[in-house]
Amino acid sequence: MSLDPPTYLASLQSNIRQRPIPWDGAVRAGTLTEEQLAKIRAVDKVKRDVRKQVIEADLDGYRTLFAGKNEKRSVLESASKRPDVCQYLLVLLSDLLDNVPALSKAFFESDDSNPYKDILPLLAHSTNTEDPIPLLTSIVLVKLMAGSRDESTATAEKALPMLYSYLASLTKNSDAGLQDIGVQEYSQLLYSHVCRQQFWKQRSETVGPLIDILRAAAGVSGGDASANLWSGTTAPLRSGFEASVGGGVGLQLLYHVLLVLWQLSFEAAEIGDDLNDEYEIVLLYTHLLRLSPKEKTTRLLIATLYNLLSNNQNSLLPTAVLARLPQLLQNLSSRQFTDPDLVEDRDKLRELVEEYTKTKTTFDEYVAEVNSGHLRWSPPHRSTVFWAENARKILDYENGEIVRKLAEIMQKPWENDKAVLAIACNDVGYLVREAPEKRSQLERYGIKSRIMELMGEADENVRWESLRALGGWLQYSFDTK
């Protein structure tokens, strides 16, 4: 998948190409040999078709030039102490890999050379963010791997993890240009199951910062991101979305992040549940879909949701319903999209969700909400009819599993979303009133003692709901004496 190079990178490479290099002096200084210089001059500053013809006639020679062979040093190793020469060679190699696709494959076709031996160390050439050598090196490595589609041990177990770590440092940079370079290079690397699995294995470095970018775009960030998404309270976003979305996230950066996570979603059968457990991606994507500024971002959001939900129907479709995806898809069905693939994906996703919701009751929705670990004021909580019909069913469900889950939710402090505690107390109050003989079951899980603790909460809603719940408890305690 080809993406336009970020402006910063294109400008940096262009400036380096135009720099005069004292090649003859470099030969006299022992930075490179006459033979190496002859090969460089044969492909430097020549027409593309000439360059292609020269390299294809001597693939082994140009692999040796940049990767070394047996005792023969590569030009990158010998020039590593000369930053100007090293930068020029990295840009030249990047251009050659673009112009001659066979060259990237040639790097992996010899048993006599390690394609990464002299390139990989340049990733750690300097910790100075102004030094372009690590960045230029990462571009070469990405083109080598993506161009060859290599999955050898040298790539999968050593080079790829190191490259992901370096690119992760770019995505965490405050400079949006560097962030975009890192994200675009990720996209080039996710060409196989092996590469995507490694990307997920390093998710604290790779996926986490991308989710942070999406949360900023959605108008939520920091410790209260989850609470704001569930409650629907997000920072106001500028209208129009012409150049940027929430949090100052550029539209192009948003698109590239969504592209990477869409590529990752092809592993949804294996990682979908964990992706949602750790990053609440179904909720986040549903919210972003409401705000999506362009068809191209809408298409990626819908396609990713479809991959996730279709491969994890039992676990993720309940969350999608809680996030109000069905209503959103209904609204989107009236939108006139010009992209036929987007229309097809939207219709497939809507059919999948509608088929699920056809057979689900209010009780099922309540169970799904409790299992999600996050409560909101959805209709069942205040419905006396719901509790009259379902209180005992909830208490008996799977040997008390829902009550256990409710107790777990209540034990958390919910510093950024006290409404969860108020809702839990509300539910406990209904359970006690509708099934007073089951009070001991609730007490076994520490729910009564937690209710008493919550009476001292600073939040008045939590205090009120805990007082109401305890009042029911005390009433039935006296009634049975």
Side-chain angles (χ1 to χ4, degrees):
M1 187 176 297
S2 178
L3 299 172
D4 293 333
T7 305
Y8 170 76
L9 178 60
S11 175
L12 173 64
Q13 291 173 323
S14 178
N15 289 338
I16 291 173
R17 288 187 197 101
Q18 294 171 31
R19 292 178 191 167
I21 301 294
W23 293 114
D24 294 326
V27 170
R28 288 193 297 272
T31 302
L32 66 161
T33 66
E34 289 281 5
E35 180 187 359
Q36 289 172 329
L37 179 56
K39 288 192 179 297
I40 292 169
R41 281 178 166 159
V43 295
D44 189 25
K45 294 181 171 54
V46 298
K47 291 182 179 179
R48 183 183 182 123
D49 56 343
V50 173
R51 174 180 282 176
K52 189 170 185 290
Q53 185 178 358
V54 169
I55 292 178
E56 287 182 343
D58 189 15
L59 284 171
D60 185 67
Y62 279 92
R63 177 187 63 229
T64 301
L65 175 68
F66 289 104
K69 185 176 183 179
N70 295 330
E71 300 304 316
K72 187 175 286 191
R73 299 172 73 200
S74 76
V75 70
L76 289 172
E77 180 186 5
S78 56
S80 61
K81 304 299 183 185
R82 283 283 303 273
D84 58 335
V85 177
C86 190
Q87 291 172 30
Y88 193 93
L89 291 171
L90 287 168
V91 172
L92 177 61
L93 177 53
S94 176
D95 291 341
L96 297 180
L97 292 168
D98 276 339
N99 299 161
V100 190
L103 182 59
S104 59
K105 293 181 175 65
F107 267 74
F108 298 93
E109 290 174 352
S110 172
D111 295 330
D112 301 326
S113 64
N114 177 350
Y116 299 118
K117 180 174 70 71
D118 298 328
I119 302 176
L120 207 52
L122 295 175
L123 269 183
H125 182 265
S126 170
T127 56
N128 180 3
T129 55
E130 299 298 319
D131 182 0
I133 287 179
L135 176 60
L136 296 172
T137 301
S138 73
I139 303 304
V140 167
L141 287 168
V142 168
K143 289 180 179 180
L144 265 179
M145 294 178 191
S148 64
R149 294 292 194 267
D150 185 67
E151 296 182 11
S152 66
T153 300
T155 294
E157 296 183 7
K158 184 174 182 182
L160 191 60
M162 289 180 66
L163 182 54
Y164 278 151
S165 292
Y166 174 76
L167 295 176
S169 72
L170 298 183
T171 65
K172 290 181 278 192
N173 197 288
S174 58
D175 185 302
L178 290 177
Q179 281 185 315
D180 202 26
I181 292 172
V183 174
Q184 287 202 39
E185 297 311 310
Y186 277 157
S187 182
Q188 299 299 312
L189 290 171
L190 298 178
Y191 52 80
S192 72
H193 172 74
V194 169
C195 296
R196 292 190 292 268
Q197 285 294 106
Q198 184 61 41
F199 188 79
W200 177 248
K201 187 176 180 180
Q202 293 177 243
R203 58 188 175 275
S204 62
E205 289 181 288
T206 56
V207 178
L210 302 187
I211 296 295
D212 289 340
I213 292 171
L214 293 184
R215 285 173 177 160
V220 298
S221 57
D224 58 352
S226 175
N228 286 342
L229 282 170
W230 278 112
S231 64
T233 56
T234 59
L237 304 181
R238 67 189 72 186
S239 61
F241 297 105
E242 283 86 0
S244 64
V245 286
V249 176
L251 185 55
Q252 279 300 101
L253 177 58
L254 171 64
Y255 173 73
H256 293 147
V257 171
L258 292 175
L259 178 63
V260 168
L261 292 175
W262 168 71
Q263 291 171 275
L264 182 62
S265 74
F266 285 95
E267 304 300 319
E270 293 183 35
I271 70 170
D273 285 340
D274 289 337
L275 187 59
N276 194 60
D277 288 345
E278 295 179 33
Y279 302 110
E280 294 191 295
I281 196 166
V282 172
L283 176 63
L284 176 60
Y285 265 54
T286 303
H287 185 71
L288 286 168
L289 189 55
R290 291 189 184 94
L291 308 172
S292 180
K294 299 287 184 181
E295 281 198 12
K296 65 180 186 178
T297 53
T298 299
R299 180 184 174 187
L300 287 172
L301 287 162
I302 286 177
T304 304
L305 280 169
Y306 182 77
N307 285 347
L308 290 168
L309 298 179
S310 62
N311 283 285
N312 303 274
Q313 297 186 28
N314 291 337
S315 54
L316 297 189
L317 278 170
T319 304
V321 172
L322 289 172
R324 289 166 282 200
L325 181 60
Q327 298 92 318
L328 177 57
L329 291 173
Q330 189 62 41
N331 293 337
L332 289 176
S333 65
S334 61
R335 289 265 300 273
Q336 298 300 312
F337 294 116
T338 59
D339 183 342
D341 292 325
L342 167 55
V343 173
E344 181 183 350
D345 288 344
R346 177 201 63 190
D347 292 345
K348 285 195 304 183
L349 181 59
R350 191 180 71 237
E351 289 169 10
L352 176 69
V353 174
E354 286 179 351
E355 189 62 33
Y356 171 78
T357 55
K358 277 179 187 175
T359 60
K360 297 305 169 184
T361 64
T362 308
F363 173 78
D364 295 323
E365 291 179 15
Y366 179 80
V367 170
E369 184 177 340
V370 175
N371 281 331
S372 77
H374 197 290
L375 306 179
R376 61 183 179 85
W377 283 116
S378 55
H381 297 289
R382 294 293 200 190
S383 170
T384 54
V385 173
F386 171 80
W387 290 106
E389 293 177 350
N390 293 289
R392 286 177 173 78
K393 189 175 178 183
I394 288 169
L395 289 160
D396 295 337
Y397 183 78
E398 293 188 358
N399 295 318
E401 181 59 32
I402 294 302
V403 178
R404 277 195 293 272
K405 188 69 178 179
L406 198 59
E408 288 175 14
I409 292 172
M410 293 181 71
Q411 288 304 321
K412 296 178 182 178
W414 296 100
E415 294 295 347
N416 298 307
D417 195 5
K418 292 296 183 182
V420 173
L421 293 174
I423 297 166
C425 291
N426 167 86
D427 292 3
V428 170
Y430 273 112
L431 290 172
V432 170
R433 284 191 288 276
E434 294 297 334
E437 73 281 5
K438 299 278 191 176
R439 295 192 307 278
S440 60
Q441 179 183 348
L442 299 174
E443 290 170 6
R444 257 197 324 271
Y445 297 120
I447 290 179
K448 182 180 179 181
S449 58
R450 180 59 173 154
I451 289 283
M452 296 176 71
E453 289 174 9
L454 292 175
M455 290 178 64
E457 269 284 339
D459 186 279
E460 62 177 323
N461 291 322
V462 176
R463 289 201 308 273
W464 170 246
E465 294 295 347
S466 60
L467 180 61
R468 289 180 67 227
L470 188 63
W473 224 302
L474 295 175
Q475 175 190 338
Y476 289 107
S477 295
F478 289 133
D479 287 349
T480 57
K481 290 184 179 179

